[in-house]
Amino acid sequence: MNLHRSFIGFDGKIKLSASKIDKLKTGRDSLRADIKEWFSENSKKQPKFCWQGSFAMKTTVNPISDDYDLDDGVYLQGYSSNENEWPSATSVHNWVKEATDKRTSLDSTDKNTCVRVNYADGYHIDLPIYIMKDDEPYLAHKSNGWVLSDPKAFTDWFIDKVNENDEQLRRLVRYLKAWKEYNNVPLKGIEITILVAENFDGYDNRDDKALFSTIEKILNTLDKNFSCVKPVAPGENLFENISNTKKNTILSSLTNLRKDLSSAIFENNDETATGILQNLFGTRFPKVESSNKSYVVTNSPGVLKHDGRSGR
């Protein structure tokens, strides 16, 4: 069964709406103004800003909990390359928290890697803080001090991957983010982004097949070497300290997803296919329609023929 239109309908439901995007942008701009004002009043050089993360990559998913977010990097200016002359990570967190504390009625959260500004409407904006050294950004981490971290390079890497392939890659990231939230799979959004981008296997006008084939490639990769290496500095393995329990949960969850996707694609009954997919993704996944029944597959479930493949 060709489930492409159903997946496109699902993507429309899990993407952030225009109104939510506008709220995040308005909040971002207001916080930037607050920070600039505080820095000016306290005789500090004006910082620069760069939005980052899933919002910048256009892979943000409207979560079931409705707690959506935006990351906006605060880049401090006017410091030498000598780290001994930098303020402490804790100090700059205090600056940004003080600058933004009165923006909303809710208290801000001072996390290890950012200051989080919470909004009553059910969203938050994270403000990680950086200083540049030799053209490389260092993040103010409250526990670890200043640590090398380059979110802009990661965003650029992902956008290059999309440009090399197709917008389908972005959709697959969103599908898997929605799936992992619905099923409580212990994967982070950045891990899903890396795994999909590194193992993307596209099909023209067939998101269902592309998702199946990409998951299969991810499983093959993880079976050989269970790692998820960040493709930009500092190039850490995000799975390095993962427990065996989490590792087994991730592998079994992806294996079940592959199996159930195959069952849905080979299913001839709309209601049954809908049940399989809603069990995977929740009731936001739309009902499968009979008009989706144009497909070419092999006669062995779990083995998809690459008809109409994009060739990317």
Side-chain angles (χ1 to χ4, degrees), residues 41-59:
E41 291 176 350
N42 288 273
S43 303
K44 300 185 186 300
K45 192 170 181 179
Q46 287 294 304
K48 294 182 179 179
F49 302 88
C50 182
W51 59 352
Q52 58 196 52
S54 60
F55 194 88
M57 293 184 287
K58 300 180 181 179
T59 59

Side-chain angles (χ1 to χ4, degrees), residues 129-143:
I129 308 153
Y130 302 87
I131 286 179
M132 300 296 293
K133 176 184 178 182
D134 300 327
D135 295 324
E136 290 184 316
Y138 283 73
L139 170 69
H141 191 291
K142 284 178 62 182
S143 295

Side-chain angles (χ1 to χ4, degrees), residues 216-235:
E216 192 160 55
K217 287 186 68 176
I218 290 172
L219 279 167
N220 289 337
T221 297
L222 294 180
D223 282 339
K224 294 175 183 176
N225 180 20
F226 194 83
S227 66
C228 182
V229 177
K230 203 170 181 181
V232 298

